[in-house]
Amino acid sequence: MTATGPAGAGGSLRPPLSVRRRRRALGVLLALLALLAPANAACGGPATAPAPEPDRSRPLIVASDADLTAGGQPGVRRALIDQWNRRNPDRPARLVELPSASDEQRSELIGAFQSGTAAYDVVNLDISWIAEFADSGLLRPLDPALVDGDFLRQAADAGRWKGRTYAVPFNTDVGLLYYRTDDLAKAGRRPADLRGYAKIGDLLADVRPLGHAAYTTQLRAYEGLTVNTLETFWTAGVELVDGDGRYIGTEDGLREGLDELGRLGAANNLNPESLEADESVTLAQFTEGQSVLMRNWPYAYNRLDAALAPGVRFGVARLPGVAALGGQSLGVAATSDRPGDAADLIRFLTGRGAQHALLSAGFAPARRSAYGAGDVNCDDPHDPRAWFYDRPAGRGSEPSPSPSAATPGYTTLLWCALQAARARPATAHYVTFTRVLQREVHGMLAAHRSADASAERLGGRLGRALGGRGPG
C-alpha cells in the first residue's frame, strides 16, 4: 500500500495543502482563459487580421503643386489625369493642387500625414523632400522596375533613399540662362560668347548694358535663394555636404562661396528687385526689359514666347558653371489603402507618352526619349547646339499652335543642360539646412555685409542642422 498523506475520516487520501492550492490556482487561470478566448477571437491580432478592403468608391487623390506652365489654364497635369480617367473609368483619379509656395506645400503635406487626415494616394514631391518623407515613413517603397534606364540618372537617383526606391521622376528641372538677343548685342556680346564663361560673375563683369541691369535672379529668402547659393558654391569648388548628408564645409570655403555670390551685386550688375524676387517676379522683370540676362527654369520658355512683343528676340543658354537640378517625383503615400492602383497611375504619368506631353507644355521631362537629342555630344565646346539656342524673332502675343518648347534646337540644349546638372544634398534634414542657409545669406546680401561674419556663423549652424539638432 502506498500512502500519500494522512488517513481521512472515511479512510480516503487527500493531497497536501500546497498541491491543493496549486490546483485551485490552475483552475482559476483556465477559467479566465476560457472567458477571454471569445474576446481574443473577436478582436484578432495584427499578425492574423485580414487586411481591410480598399475604398474603391472614391477616386485616387493626387496631391501636387500648382502648374507654373499653365498661366491660369487647367494645365498639362490635369489633362494627363483626365486622360487616365478616360482609360480607367473604374479607377478614376483627382488632382488636388497645393499652395504655390514650396514651404507651404511641404507643411500642408506633412500636417495632413501626421494628423491622420490625409486622403492622398499619390504625392508629387520636390526632389529635395524625398529623403525626409521616406525617412519619416510617409512614403511606401516602390518596385525599382518603375524607374528604367530611360530616366535622367540624377533624377532617378533623387528618388532613392537608403537603397530603396520611393519616388519616380515626373518632371525634372534645371537652371537656365535667358537672354534678350538685341540687348545682349548692345552690351557687346553674342549668344555664342556665353559658353566661354566659367562663372556668372565673370560674365556680368563683361556685360555693360545701357539703361538696363545686367542680370535678374531669385534671391528672396526661399528655396530659390538656396539654389542660387549652391550653384555659386559648386561653381567655385566649395562643398558643404557629402554623399551621406554630413556637413563637410569649412570657414574658408564658405567665405569663398559667399564672396562669389556677393559679386552678383557688384557694379550695379544685379537688378535690385532680385533680393525679394521669386521665379514669377524675375520673369516679369525680364519680360518688361528690366534686365538683359535672367536665371530661371525651363517653364519660362513658353511663357516668354507668348508674352514678348512681336519682333523681340530672346534665347536660352546653359548657366556658366554648375546648374542645380530641380523637379518633382511621384511617390505613394504610406497611408494609401490602394497602393497597387496608385503605382499604376504613377506608371502612366511617368510613361513616354505623358513625358512628351510635359515637354510640349513647357516642363522638362525626366525621360531622355522625350528630347530627341540624338547623338549630340553635350561636352563638345565647339557644338553650339549643346550650349545655347537663339529663338527666331517674334511669334507674337499669342502662344503658337505648336508649342515652342518642343522645337528641336531648344530641346537639345535643355537635355545637355540637364545632363550636367547637379542635385541638391540628399538628407532627411534638408529643410532645416536650407532655412539656415537662406536666413544667413539673405541677410548678408540685403545688408551688403562682407562674407567674413556670415562664414563664421554659418559653419556651426549648418553642421547642427544636418545633424538633426535644429538651426541653432
Side-chain angles (χ1 to χ4, degrees):
M1 182 178 74
T2 304
T4 57
S12 63
L13 299 177
R14 299 184 65 192
L17 181 61
S18 61
V19 173
R20 295 200 306 273
R21 286 175 174 169
R22 285 197 298 271
R23 287 178 178 175
R24 280 199 297 271
L26 179 60
V28 171
L29 178 60
L30 291 173
L32 287 172
L33 290 173
L35 289 172
L36 291 172
N40 286 336
C43 295
T48 58
E53 285 294 319
D55 180 5
R56 297 189 182 278
S57 65
R58 64 171 182 82
L60 293 163
I61 303 299
V62 182
S64 179
D65 64 325
D67 183 346
L68 291 178
T69 68
Q73 301 302 310
V76 66
R77 291 171 178 165
R78 197 171 297 278
L80 289 172
I81 294 294
D82 290 343
Q83 189 179 113
W84 162 270
N85 290 342
R86 288 192 294 271
R87 297 183 182 185
N88 299 271
D90 57 332
R91 298 186 295 171
R94 181 164 64 90
L95 181 66
V96 174
E97 287 195 349
L98 301 172
S100 57
S102 61
D103 287 351
E104 294 177 22
Q105 294 165 27
R106 175 185 165 276
S107 297
E108 184 163 321
L109 282 173
I110 289 182
F113 278 122
Q114 291 179 342
S115 67
T117 61
Y120 306 136
D121 297 286
V122 175
V123 286
N124 190 27
L125 299 175
D126 187 287
I127 60 171
S128 64
W129 303 342
I130 294 170
E132 177 190 12
F133 276 64
D135 203 66
S136 300
L138 303 180
L139 299 177
R140 287 179 181 266
L142 299 175
D143 181 354
L146 285 169
V147 186
D148 59 45
D150 189 39
F151 285 100
L152 178 72
R153 176 186 55 79
Q154 300 96 308
D157 289 346
R160 301 186 182 101
W161 179 246
K162 295 183 177 179
R164 307 185 78 174
T165 298
Y166 285 93
V168 183
F170 186 26
N171 62 273
T172 188
D173 243 343
V174 62
L176 297 172
L177 183 68
Y178 291 83
Y179 57 87
R180 295 174 68 100
T181 308
D182 294 335
D183 289 340
L184 188 66
K186 292 175 184 176
R189 289 292 174 271
R190 302 168 302 153
D193 296 331
L194 298 176
R195 57 184 161 171
Y197 293 91
K199 299 177 182 179
I200 189 69
D202 296 340
L203 171 59
L204 297 183
D206 277 359
V207 173
R208 298 290 179 225
L210 299 175
H212 297 286
Y215 188 54
T216 183
T217 189
Q218 306 82 33
L219 300 178
R220 180 167 65 81
Y222 81 118
E223 189 61 22
L225 175 58
T226 298
V227 168
N228 273 266
T229 301
L230 290 175
E231 288 175 341
T232 303
F233 279 31
W234 292 334
T235 299
V238 177
E239 299 292 339
L240 299 178
V241 188
D242 69 9
D244 295 317
R246 293 185 296 251
Y247 180 68
I248 57 171
T250 65
E251 191 172 321
D252 286 344
L254 285 167
R255 187 179 297 106
E256 181 179 358
L258 292 171
D259 275 336
E260 190 63 36
L261 191 62
R263 287 182 68 197
L264 299 185
N268 297 318
N269 284 328
L270 183 70
N271 186 318
E273 292 186 29
S274 293
L275 288 171
E276 296 302 330
D278 59 11
E279 288 87 356
S280 297
V281 172
T282 53
L283 180 59
Q285 293 170 351
F286 186 78
T287 303
E288 294 165 4
Q290 296 181 27
S291 61
V292 178
L293 302 166
M294 172 184 68
R295 183 219 174 274
N296 218 316
W297 303 100
Y299 91 95
Y301 193 97
N302 272 8
R303 299 284 289 274
L304 286 170
D305 189 69
L308 287 173
V312 176
R313 298 174 60 198
F314 80 93
V316 60
R318 287 161 65 171
L319 273 176
V322 183
L325 186 76
Q328 288 94 25
S329 295
L330 298 170
V332 176
T335 53
S336 173
D337 62 352
R338 297 169 61 185
D341 290 339
D344 287 345
L345 177 56
I346 289 176
R347 186 178 290 107
F348 168 77
L349 292 173
T350 60
R352 299 191 180 209
Q355 293 281 292
H356 280 282
L358 289 174
L359 179 64
S360 294
F363 282 109
R367 286 185 175 274
R368 178 188 177 92
S369 55
Y371 291 88
D375 59 354
V376 61
N377 180 0
C378 292
D379 297 322
D380 184 354
H382 303 295
D383 189 343
R385 298 175 302 163
W387 297 94
F388 70 93
Y389 173 69
D390 204 38
R391 163 194 172 267
R395 291 181 179 272
S397 58
E398 296 296 326
S400 60
S402 177
S404 59
T407 56
Y410 170 74
T411 56
T412 298
L413 175 278
L414 178 56
W415 174 251
C416 285
L418 285 165
Q419 286 282 88
R422 180 169 171 180
R424 284 161 285 173
T427 167
H429 307 295
Y430 181 82
V431 170
T432 309
F433 164 82
T434 190
R435 285 176 179 168
V436 169
L437 198 62
Q438 291 163 21
R439 184 173 61 190
E440 187 62 45
V441 172
H442 188 267
M444 183 197 83
L445 294 175
H448 303 286
R449 294 197 303 257
S450 73
D452 294 341
S454 292
E456 185 177 350
R457 280 193 297 267
L458 261 180
R461 292 177 182 180
L462 290 175
R464 286 191 293 274
L466 288 167
R469 290 170 286 165

